[in-house]
Amino acid sequence: MSVITTSRQGPVLILTSDNPPVNALGAAVRQGLQAGIEEAKGDDSIQAVVIICAGKTFFAGADITEFGKAMAEPSLPVLVDQIEALDKPVIAAVHGTALGGGCEVALASHYRIAVPSAKFGLPEVKLGILPGAGGTQRMPRVAGVEVALEMATKGDPISATQAKDAGLVDRLAGEDSLLADAVAFANEVIGKPVSRSSERPVTVDAETFATFRATNAKRFRGLDAPNTIIDIIEQTAGKPYAEGVQAERIGFMKLIMGQQSAALRHIFFAERKAAKIDGIADDIQLRDIKRVGVIGAGTMGGGISMNFLSAGVPVTIVEMAQDALDRGTGVMRKNYEATAAKGRMTAEQVEKAMGLLKPTLNFDDLAECDLIIEAVYESMDVKKDVFGRLDKIAKPGAILASNTSYLNIDEIAASTSRPQDVVGLHFFSPANVMKLLEIVRGAKTADDVLATAMALSKKIKKVAVIAGVCYGFIGNRMLMPRQVEATKMLLEGATPEQIDKVHVAFGMPMGPFQMADLAGVDIGWHRDPNRIENIRDALAAEGRWGQKKGAGFYDYDEKRQPSNSPRVAELIEEWRGKLNVPSHEITEEEIVVRTLYTMVNEGALILAEGMAQRASDIDVVWVYGYGWPPYRGGPMFWADTEGLKKIVEGLEKYGFEVAPLLREKAEKGEKFNR
Ligand code: 3HC
């Protein structure tokens, strides 16, 4: 059966696309739409066309799986022009998400009607490309240059109401009567001259582009796609559509052939692949999670709770003392109110979320929960004690989770009589903001527990990855060689600034020492001033705990602006002498090898040990948990682009033991991500 079906209501031809899951505009859809337009052209009894989609959404874009392959006719740019060229009105009837090519089909249609819950967006930039089916040309003409720049360079969708205000939507339909309302709309405009968006002028103020560039300079740093989009919209603004669309095509082809787009498309699919758990059927029966329990109302416990509250899941939060409980819930409320102040939440939503929270001092209240997450002090003894107590009171079948960042889940599970129900849920700080969740699979964790955790992660809008039990799991384990080497290089002659600069230039939000100062130099310190074993201990012992103390690896002023610290330079010198480390000039190449190649090496060990299901999962961890620049595709994808042979040579040059899997792949000319 064709993915496009045609039907008639009087003079109106209805083209319905049914191409699950998201009505991507693959070859069959394009051919079906083209045939429909041809039919309308050749049949005098047809006087208008409605384009509508079945299933959960209007076209969510071009079919990304077709990128890089030979494109079957008609291409999307050709199709949208054919839709617009029809001299009978075409009405796009939109529900769900009209994204990318889908939004461009709507823009090429002569009218747009949408249900209030619909969304419109040009997310191509997130794949490292630009709207390539007339979007850079029609959007400025329909919604204005400002809206077009905002949508095309940032990629975030707008609501149907915002789209209506911007002129992108002509009419709102009833939520349940889209087709009927679209046909009625079509009947109203039959016989009227069609309004083609490509024929409209672009009005533009000369200042707009300069202002937009300046405001977003930091955000677009190092990114090819948004900068190309601004250039194209600016350069073609006063020109005819036909000329503009040519510039768009050239820009599109250039971007899609580029490394950044390949990396971003890799991450798009990697994120979705990460949700698939090897060896577990998709239709496994999940456990029902109606209420979540959280132990500990500190920064982590509070942040974790907020995820569930925001998703409408009630939370019981337990603390040991009233003041800690009050402080914790107070911080949660403050965070919600700050979000509301930025207009990203209504006051009602704040109250609704907080209304789902039950703060308590009574540990036994956790008996009502279906999933209990422990977020207490990172100590095996403390965790074992908590799990032993949970074992006695949790209901049968409740999932017992630890938010540990390093500790052995199997050992924790062994302190219960139900290790099959125990799992690690490693959230990243701040837990209400960071997208990553490592789901740690213990030796005895039941399949349905893992699958339930994975499904829940989607509900709370996290990107989850399955990790095996090893020290630091995937993310923190790979952080270790980076941190160790960065610190060694200080003693060998580098400065914190020199190392951080290389990481920032690479595209990381910050370097290893900036990160240490932000997280706290005192983290992991034994707090014994008589035991100073390394430079980090020395800083911690002097109270240089990082940003929170105004001093760490850097000095900070009142505005938290960092500057190089003479005291840190002194300490480095002192330790260099004490440990008798000869210094040498540290080059950028050395920093890259010792802090980035070593991560890849550790990633290869993780992969070989089966601690990550696939290389792309490691990439997802680093992009969503640690700010690895998405346009470099994560460490394993980046290693592939560097060339594994080069990575091996770099590691050998600086005396590292090369992971066997990395060496093997390099020798065979293979990649981590195929
Ligand atoms: N092409 C091919 N497959 C797509 C796709 C697309 N554009 N969009 C989604 N899919 C696939 C996903 O890979 C996933 O497959 P899987 O089940 O095998 O893993 C499946 O559809 C469902 O996707 P999600 O899990 O993401 O479903 P959600 O319901 O959470 O989200 C969505 C739906 C908001 C539509 C989201 O999928 C999305 O954002 N998709 C990408 C949209 C996009 O980037 N469009 C622009 C494409 S580029 C373009 O149009 C170029 C043009 O200008 C020429």
Side-chain angles (χ1 to χ4, degrees):
M1 209 185 79
S2 165
V3 287
I4 301 288
T5 46
T6 55
S7 59
R8 288 283 289 269
Q9 282 194 27
V12 182
L13 176 73
I14 300 158
L15 303 179
T16 307
S17 170
D18 190 3
N19 184 29
V22 298
N23 275 308
L25 286 148
V29 176
R30 297 195 305 273
Q31 284 155 6
L33 286 175
Q34 187 183 46
I37 296 295
E38 287 296 325
E39 184 183 339
K41 203 166 158 186
D43 184 341
D44 288 345
S45 71
I46 296 172
Q47 292 173 47
V49 178
V50 167
I51 299 178
I52 193 164
C53 290
K56 69 175 184 178
T57 178
F58 195 73
F59 311 108
D63 187 337
I64 308 171
T65 57
E66 285 182 352
F67 289 0
K69 301 180 188 151
M71 181 73 76
E73 293 293 325
S75 70
L76 201 52
V78 167
L79 175 67
V80 292
D81 283 353
Q82 285 175 351
I83 293 174
E84 194 190 55
L86 191 71
D87 51 10
K88 301 169 183 180
V90 180
I91 291 94
V94 178
H95 78 293
T97 42
L99 301 179
C103 189
E104 291 169 304
V105 167
L107 281 165
S109 302
H110 307 121
Y111 300 96
R112 290 158 290 277
I113 181 168
V115 296
S117 61
K119 290 199 162 82
F120 290 78
L122 294 174
E124 289 90 341
V125 69
K126 295 190 176 172
L127 299 170
I129 53 175
L130 53 73
T136 65
Q137 301 303 302
R138 289 198 178 89
M139 191 60 93
R141 288 171 162 84
V142 171
V145 167
E146 266 106 352
V147 172
L149 282 175
E150 197 67 32
M151 288 180 77
T153 59
K154 298 189 181 160
D156 299 325
I158 60 171
S159 69
T161 332
Q162 286 168 312
K164 180 143 192 309
D165 290 345
L168 177 55
V169 163
D170 300 293
R171 189 178 289 187
L172 291 176
E175 200 64 65
D176 301 315
S177 55
L178 179 61
L179 178 61
D181 292 350
V183 171
F185 194 179
N187 276 305
E188 279 174 42
V189 293
I190 281 174
K192 292 193 180 159
V194 295
S195 146
R196 297 193 172 94
S197 48
S198 69
E199 289 170 3
R200 298 190 206 171
V202 180
T203 32
V204 65
D205 166 359
E207 291 298 295
T208 309
F209 294 98
T211 313
F212 189 78
R213 275 200 185 88
T215 321
N216 295 291
K218 197 165 166 215
R219 183 178 180 143
F220 298 153
R221 176 177 70 100
L223 296 175
D224 294 341
N227 292 307
T228 306
I229 293 169
I230 307 173
D231 289 349
I232 288 179
I233 298 184
E234 181 174 32
Q235 285 156 14
T236 60
K239 307 226 167 97
Y241 172 80
E243 222 172 289
V245 92
Q246 258 178 31
E248 177 186 278
R249 185 98 307 252
I250 294 167
F252 184 87
M253 292 317 291
K254 202 166 149 205
L255 288 174
I256 206 159
M257 307 289 282
Q259 198 64 255
Q260 292 195 357
S261 171
L264 288 160
R265 281 181 279 136
H266 163 72
I267 285 298
F268 177 87
F269 287 114
E271 176 188 334
R272 282 152 184 85
K273 217 187 283 166
K276 306 203 172 16
I277 312 172
D278 287 346
I280 299 185
D282 283 349
D283 57 355
I284 187 170
Q285 177 79 34
L286 302 180
R287 297 193 188 182
D288 198 13
I289 309 294
K290 291 208 186 69
R291 175 174 282 276
V292 171
V294 175
I295 308 172
T299 316
M300 267 333 265
I304 292 170
S305 304
M306 288 175 75
N307 288 307
F308 293 99
L309 298 175
S310 303
V313 182
V315 173
T316 300
I317 189 164
V318 188
E319 253 300 346
M320 290 200 293
Q322 190 65 46
D323 60 336
L325 190 61
D326 291 345
R327 211 178 316 123
T329 53
V331 169
M332 288 160 71
R333 173 171 283 283
K334 229 176 78 204
N335 284 341
Y336 274 132
E337 283 170 352
T339 309
K342 286 183 205 142
R344 285 199 253 127
M345 231 179 149
T346 64
E348 254 175 10
Q349 285 168 324
V350 174
E351 292 316 317
K352 193 169 158 230
M354 287 306 288
L356 290 170
L357 182 66
K358 177 176 159 185
T360 176
L361 296 177
N362 186 359
F363 196 84
D364 292 349
D365 283 350
L366 294 170
E368 62 189 356
C369 300
D370 308 294
L371 160 67
I372 303 163
I373 307 169
E374 151 290 300
V376 300
Y377 185 62
E378 186 81 337
S379 135
M380 185 52 92
D381 289 343
V382 176
K383 305 247 181 211
K384 277 184 173 168
D385 177 57
V386 167
F387 274 77
R389 287 170 69 197
L390 273 180
D391 193 27
K392 295 201 180 72
I393 58 124
K395 62 164 86 156
I399 298 177
L400 311 181
S402 171
N403 176 51
T404 179
S405 351
Y406 288 96
L407 301 176
N408 187 319
I409 294 293
D410 293 333
E411 204 179 326
I412 295 174
S415 59
T416 73
S417 61
R418 36 176 140 176
Q420 74 282 0
D421 296 338
V422 177
V423 69
L425 290 182
H426 180 210
F427 288 84
F428 287 71
S429 188
N432 52 318
V433 178
M434 294 299 286
K435 293 275 282 177
L436 181 67
L437 176 65
E438 280 181 330
I439 299 178
V440 188
R441 180 182 211 161
K444 295 189 176 154
T445 308
D447 285 357
D448 64 341
V449 167
L450 284 177
T452 303
M454 187 55 88
L456 213 52
S457 73
K458 184 142 193 178
K459 185 165 181 175
I460 60 172
K461 300 199 168 75
K462 296 285 178 222
V463 177
V465 166
I466 301 285
V469 176
C470 57
Y471 192 70
F473 314 122
I474 300 174
N476 283 344
R477 179 170 161 182
M478 286 169 69
L479 200 56
M480 279 183 279
R482 181 181 103 159
Q483 219 64 23
V484 166
E485 288 306 312
T487 311
K488 274 191 189 163
M489 277 189 279
L490 290 188
L491 297 182
E492 294 169 25
T495 64
E497 191 197 17
Q498 192 189 346
I499 295 171
D500 284 343
K501 252 188 168 163
V502 172
H503 282 247
V504 173
F506 183 81
M508 302 281 193
M510 60 189 98
F513 297 107
Q514 290 162 321
M515 186 167 159
D517 275 1
L518 184 68
V521 179
D522 56 317
I523 287 185
W525 184 46
H526 36 64
R527 286 172 205 261
D528 179 353
N530 298 318
R531 255 180 71 199
I532 300 177
E533 289 160 3
N534 52 43
I535 193 140
R536 207 177 153 119
D537 289 352
L539 291 179
E542 281 193 11
R544 299 189 68 97
W545 291 3
Q547 285 200 18
K548 59 189 168 190
K549 294 272 184 167
F553 283 99
Y554 296 89
D555 288 335
Y556 293 88
D557 64 16
E558 322 71 61
K559 288 188 189 139
R560 293 205 170 180
Q561 285 303 314
S563 58
N564 289 331
S565 163
R567 178 63 192 141
V568 171
E570 257 173 45
L571 280 172
I572 293 173
E573 205 48 57
E574 196 182 309
W575 276 84
R576 188 174 296 148
K578 213 187 286 188
L579 299 174
N580 207 7
V581 182
S583 69
H584 65 277
E585 199 192 322
I586 309 261
T587 61
E588 189 179 325
E589 181 233 29
E590 180 166 354
I591 295 171
V592 168
V593 171
R594 293 179 65 180
T595 56
L596 295 174
Y597 284 18
T598 50
M599 284 177 57
V600 173
N601 204 32
E602 194 67 36
L605 292 174
I606 288 173
L607 207 54
E609 291 166 21
M611 295 298 150
Q613 299 190 97
R614 41 189 98 87
S616 62
D617 281 13
I618 298 177
D619 292 334
V620 169
V621 164
W622 271 83
V623 166
Y624 288 103
Y626 300 84
W628 183 281
Y631 63 85
R632 290 193 194 269
M636 306 316 273
F637 182 89
W638 173 71
D640 287 341
T641 61
E642 282 281 285
L644 300 188
K645 202 163 156 268
K646 184 174 164 197
I647 304 273
V648 169
E649 282 163 7
L651 288 167
E652 281 174 340
K653 177 173 170 191
Y654 290 97
F656 292 100
E657 193 179 330
V658 177
L661 181 68
L662 171 56
R663 186 183 295 285
E664 186 192 315
K665 284 194 175 291
E667 279 168 5
K668 288 188 183 157
E670 289 177 0
K671 293 181 170 187
F672 285 116
N673 288 287
R674 252 156 293 200

